[in-house]
């Protein structure tokens, strides 16, 4: 009887411990965006991505091991509704070429929403100073299935038009990988 009670207490403790670990990534992780208000140069999402932008990136697993590399070309235009349309073409190191089109709307001066074919629902973004933070979920094919991966995506505008992008990827609140990209504007071609 005593042994059964101890076993029950241990299993209750184990359950509470696991539940607490699962909630850990959710609580206390919000970053106060106002801390970036004075950072320069100021990042304007619509102006930066209008025209042609190129990026060089890597994808790493949760241990930091390199999984893939890519180069991305982005063509940014505005539609009649004033939304930013980003046509992205990814050239992966393994020969794959993939495309994604974002439609981004300005909600107010510092807040944005975005959608794309593989994005679940809409992306939510906030920009302050030289920083933009996006939150969204993407459907990513893995073997014979599809995973819904959450992105916590941070962009930091640097001097000389360099934009550094770091995104943490998670599933069920657990970090599964990271994506890092360095963007630079491509000068407009002269006629």
């Amino acid at each position: 009887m005593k042994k059964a009670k101890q076993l029950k207490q241990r299993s209750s403790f184990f359950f509470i411990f696991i539940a607490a670990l699962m909630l850990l990534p959710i609580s206390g992780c919000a970053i106060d965006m106002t801390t970036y208000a004075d950072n320069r140069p100021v990042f304007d999402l619509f102006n930066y991505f209008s025209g042609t932008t190129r990026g060089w990136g890597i994808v790493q697993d949760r241990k930091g091991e390199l999984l893939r590399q890519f180069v991305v070309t982005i063509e940014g235009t505005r539609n009649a509704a004033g939304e930013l349309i980003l046509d992205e073409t990814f050239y992966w190191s393994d020969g794959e070429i993939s495309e994604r089109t974002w439609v981004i709307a300005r909600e107010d001066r510092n807040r944005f929403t975005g959608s794309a074919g593989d994005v679940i629902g809409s992306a939510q973004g906030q920009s302050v100073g030289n920083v933009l933070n996006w939150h969204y979920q993407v459907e990513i094919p893995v073997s014979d299935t599809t995973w819904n991966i959450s992105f916590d995506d941070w962009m930091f505008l640097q001097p000389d038009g360099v934009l550094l992008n770091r995104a943490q990827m998670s599933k069920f609140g657990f970090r599964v990988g990271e994506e890092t990209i360095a963007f630079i504007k491509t000068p407009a071609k002269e006629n």
Side-chain angles (χ1 to χ4, degrees):
M1 188 74 139
K2 186 176 181 181
K3 210 172 204 181
K5 188 176 180 180
Q6 286 176 336
L7 186 59
K8 188 175 179 182
Q9 285 176 338
R10 282 188 199 156
S11 64
S12 294
F13 173 76
F14 181 73
F15 175 76
I16 292 169
F17 178 74
I18 293 299
L21 281 179
M22 289 178 70
L23 291 175
L24 192 62
I26 298 169
S27 62
C29 294
I31 295 174
D32 181 6
M33 292 289 289
T34 60
T35 61
Y36 302 116
D38 294 331
N39 287 11
R40 298 292 179 263
V42 172
F43 180 48
D44 182 319
L45 174 67
F46 275 48
N47 286 337
Y48 187 87
F49 281 108
S50 290
T52 304
T53 308
R54 291 211 42 180
W56 296 263
I58 60 172
V59 179
Q60 297 169 277
D61 68 13
R62 62 188 169 92
K63 295 180 278 183
E65 186 175 323
L66 181 65
L67 298 176
R68 295 179 90 185
Q69 300 178 103
F70 62 89
V71 175
V72 60
T73 300
I74 302 173
E75 296 296 333
T77 57
R78 295 189 196 185
N79 64 17
E83 297 166 319
L84 179 63
I85 309 301
L86 299 179
D87 289 313
E88 302 175 333
T89 304
F90 292 85
Y91 302 92
W92 297 90
S93 56
D94 59 8
E96 179 188 352
I97 298 174
S98 60
E99 296 179 341
R100 173 186 290 136
T101 299
W102 280 97
V103 178
I104 300 172
R106 188 184 299 269
E107 297 298 308
D108 62 33
R109 185 171 167 239
N110 296 324
R111 294 190 188 277
F112 306 90
T113 58
S115 61
D118 58 351
V119 172
I120 301 165
S122 68
Q124 303 297 314
Q126 181 181 5
S127 181
V128 177
N130 72 329
V131 177
L132 173 72
N133 178 225
W134 279 110
H135 293 277
Y136 54 94
Q137 269 194 344
V138 175
E139 295 178 328
I140 297 179
V142 177
S143 299
D144 295 333
T145 187
T146 300
W147 288 9
N148 296 339
I149 301 295
S150 297
F151 279 73
D152 184 11
D153 201 338
W154 290 85
M155 296 180 175
F156 299 88
L157 183 60
Q158 304 299 302
D160 302 320
V162 173
L163 180 65
L164 301 178
N165 186 178
R166 185 173 180 194
Q168 285 198 355
M169 300 178 287
S170 61
K171 183 171 174 59
F172 302 123
F174 293 99
R175 186 171 169 263
V176 295
E178 190 169 291
E179 182 179 71
T180 306
I181 311 171
F183 292 106
I184 192 157
K185 293 295 298 175
T186 302
K189 294 180 183 174
E190 293 183 23
N191 295 327

